[in-house]
Amino acid sequence: MTMSSQFVMVHVGQSTEAQRNLVHGIETRSWGFPESKAEYEGARPRFALLATGASPRVQLEQWLTGTATLYLFEVRKGFYTGHAPHWPDEEAEMRVKYPLRFGIEPLAVLHDVPLGPDGPLTEAGSDAIRRSGTDRGMGKLVDMPVLPLLNLADIPVDADEPESVPLDKSPGFTGDQVEGKKKPQRRRRGAGYISDPKKRKAIELHAEDLAVAHYEAEGWTVERLGKPYDLRCTRGTEERHVEVKGTTGAPTSVELTINEVLHARDKDTTVDLYVVSDITIDTHTVPYTTSGGEVSHYLDWEPAEQDLRPRRYEYRLPLTSD
């Protein structure tokens, strides 16, 4: 019997605003809806499919003859209520338009995927995408096997445990790979990268302030370093080093340097990871003001290989005789 997993199926339109939000959602590992629905209550989706490139306003029979681009994600943070403007249109209007959110980790992008029986989707799963497109992009929950999608993406998994997806073996994707006639101009790079340096600094400082307050409340003396790690905490003979990360999005993944990874794996040091997500930032004030946030705290942190995805390599060219 083929194992089924719960999916959130979402249709993303081709408007400039929808495509811009898609890029932003990919980069910040977050997606959201304008309201909750009864079917979301108690739901625990394991995967999400965001589909684009096919018009949903057709009958099912015609829909099943088409193709679409599918963005496959693992859901790392279940449905929650966001309190901070996050997507570009939210920040422009300084209000939360998509309060029901979930955290997503990009696994693979699949192009020109048949939406009918020749493709990897069940008919119910394919139709869920179509119905999402006629319902303002609201996600539709459906149970279906994930293995056909993972096989199509060449992601190696145990057929008996297809939900255990190794991040280091999945290709992933970035907002640069979003296609469409109205693709927005790219200004980002990397997971969760924020192009506005003042905004990025304000978010980092807010997260660091919360971390300092937390450790000081537990009796630690805290020294801010920045490099080679963010905080040095001492208490008597004890010493902990803390890496701090902040984001306005979901607590799904963070960007690490190779030095941060190596430092966390150093057996001679004790390292914690302190992540603050869903931070509210007001960019209309001088300076920018921040508030709120949800804390994810990982003690004695040591990143495992299967939870790391290399984004780029330095290639050493072969020696030549010239």
Side-chain angles (χ1 to χ4, degrees):
M1 181 178 178
T2 304
M3 179 180 176
S4 291
S5 302
Q6 188 172 67
F7 278 75
V8 185
M9 312 296 276
V10 181
H11 183 276
V12 181
Q14 290 293 301
S15 70
T16 300
E17 180 181 283
Q19 293 291 296
R20 184 180 293 116
N21 282 351
L22 175 59
V23 170
H24 193 73
I26 291 169
E27 295 292 0
T28 60
R29 310 300 200 257
S30 304
W31 200 251
F33 304 130
E35 62 188 32
S36 184
K37 288 195 171 186
E39 63 181 307
Y40 302 153
E41 298 296 328
R44 296 289 187 273
R46 294 299 302 269
F47 298 96
L49 268 182
L50 273 58
T52 189
S55 174
R57 300 192 180 278
V58 296
Q59 295 298 314
L60 177 59
E61 292 74 15
Q62 183 178 347
W63 170 264
L64 294 175
T65 65
T67 63
T69 297
L70 304 181
Y71 298 91
L72 175 63
F73 301 86
E74 181 184 12
V75 176
R76 297 294 297 176
K77 168 72 173 178
F79 293 123
Y80 70 98
T81 300
H83 301 285
H86 175 67
W87 281 271
D89 56 338
E90 289 186 322
E91 293 186 335
E93 299 176 33
M94 277 308 295
R95 67 186 182 95
V96 176
K97 299 175 63 177
Y98 317 106
L100 186 73
R101 301 176 181 175
F102 56 101
I104 50 178
E105 179 62 41
L107 296 180
V109 56
L110 304 169
H111 299 283
D112 299 318
V113 178
L115 295 170
D118 294 333
L121 307 177
T122 63
E123 183 174 306
S126 182
D127 189 37
I129 297 172
R130 183 183 69 92
R131 291 187 294 110
S132 169
T134 61
D135 187 18
R136 301 169 296 147
M138 292 291 294
K140 305 299 180 183
L141 299 179
V142 67
D143 290 337
M144 68 178 193
V146 68
L147 199 56
L149 286 161
L150 296 176
N151 288 339
L152 187 60
D154 292 325
I155 299 175
V157 294
D158 185 338
D160 294 327
E161 297 184 45
E163 293 185 343
S164 299
V165 181
L167 190 64
D168 61 329
K169 297 296 192 300
S170 63
F173 53 91
T174 68
D176 287 321
Q177 292 168 258
V178 170
E179 296 182 349
K181 295 179 181 179
K182 298 180 180 179
K183 177 182 175 181
Q185 182 179 359
R186 293 285 297 123
R187 292 184 179 180
R188 301 179 184 276
R189 58 175 176 83
Y193 181 77
I194 299 172
S195 58
D196 182 345
K198 291 190 296 182
K199 180 178 178 181
R200 187 168 67 249
K201 184 64 177 177
I203 290 171
E204 292 172 354
L205 183 59
H206 180 79
E208 190 173 282
D209 286 345
L210 290 182
V212 169
H214 170 86
Y215 281 93
E216 287 182 341
E218 291 193 340
W220 296 86
T221 299
V222 181
E223 180 184 3
R224 300 183 191 237
L225 297 179
K227 293 182 179 181
Y229 49 90
D230 294 311
L231 305 178
R232 178 175 180 264
C233 302
T234 55
R235 187 173 61 185
T237 59
E238 298 178 87
E239 180 171 325
R240 284 185 177 272
H241 300 171
V242 185
E243 291 291 348
V244 182
K245 303 292 181 180
T247 177
T248 61
T252 301
S253 60
V254 295
E255 192 168 78
L256 301 173
T257 66
I258 184 61
N259 287 337
E260 289 170 341
V261 172
L262 294 176
H263 180 245
R265 290 176 169 178
D266 188 341
K267 301 301 182 182
D268 294 329
T269 60
T270 300
V271 181
D272 296 346
L273 176 64
Y274 194 95
V275 180
V276 184
S277 57
D278 199 34
I279 296 172
T280 298
I281 181 165
D282 186 348
T283 58
H284 295 83
T285 62
V286 181
Y288 294 168
T289 53
T290 54
S291 61
E294 177 183 334
V295 173
S296 301
H297 195 193
Y298 306 90
L299 299 173
D300 303 327
W301 168 61
E302 185 176 339
E305 200 65 36
Q306 66 267 23
D307 294 325
L308 293 167
R309 177 190 288 135
R311 286 192 163 269
R312 61 173 56 187
Y313 294 95
E314 176 184 352
Y315 176 60
R316 183 174 59 186
L317 298 175
L319 292 173
T320 65
S321 56
D322 297 338

